[in-house]
Amino acid sequence: MAQSDALYESLTAAENLSFFVKTKDLTRSSLSAEIARVAQIVALTAALDKKVALFSGGMKRRLFGHCSF
């Protein structure tokens, strides 16, 4: 997988997840729960508020793998 995955590097991990989760047919109340669930799966809960531009290549790959649902 390329290092230049289709993530928005100027956004935080949470903002990227929010963007991609919104493409699913979820209620507004389910949105936060889904973001938290995915962040936990990819072990990025502590990094949700960090800009993706600051992530290592591995962190970006983990995030991208689940952003592409």
Side-chain angles (χ1 to χ4, degrees):
M1 183 180 293
Q3 292 275 334
S4 60
D5 299 321
L7 295 170
Y8 297 99
E9 293 205 356
S10 62
L11 300 179
T12 65
E15 291 166 333
N16 270 279
L17 286 173
S18 178
F19 176 82
F20 288 102
V21 166
K22 286 178 182 176
T23 64
K24 297 173 79 174
D25 190 25
L26 295 174
T27 63
R28 182 172 274 225
S29 61
S30 300
L31 183 66
S32 294
E34 183 66 4
I35 290 169
R37 184 187 76 78
V38 172
Q40 185 176 14
I41 289 170
V42 297
L44 290 174
T45 302
L48 280 176
D49 294 328
K50 292 183 181 179
K51 300 274 186 191
V52 171
L54 301 175
F55 280 19
S56 69
M59 292 169 77
K60 289 178 184 177
R61 284 189 295 277
R62 291 195 325 259
L63 183 62
F64 177 74
H66 281 77
C67 277
S68 55
F69 297 101

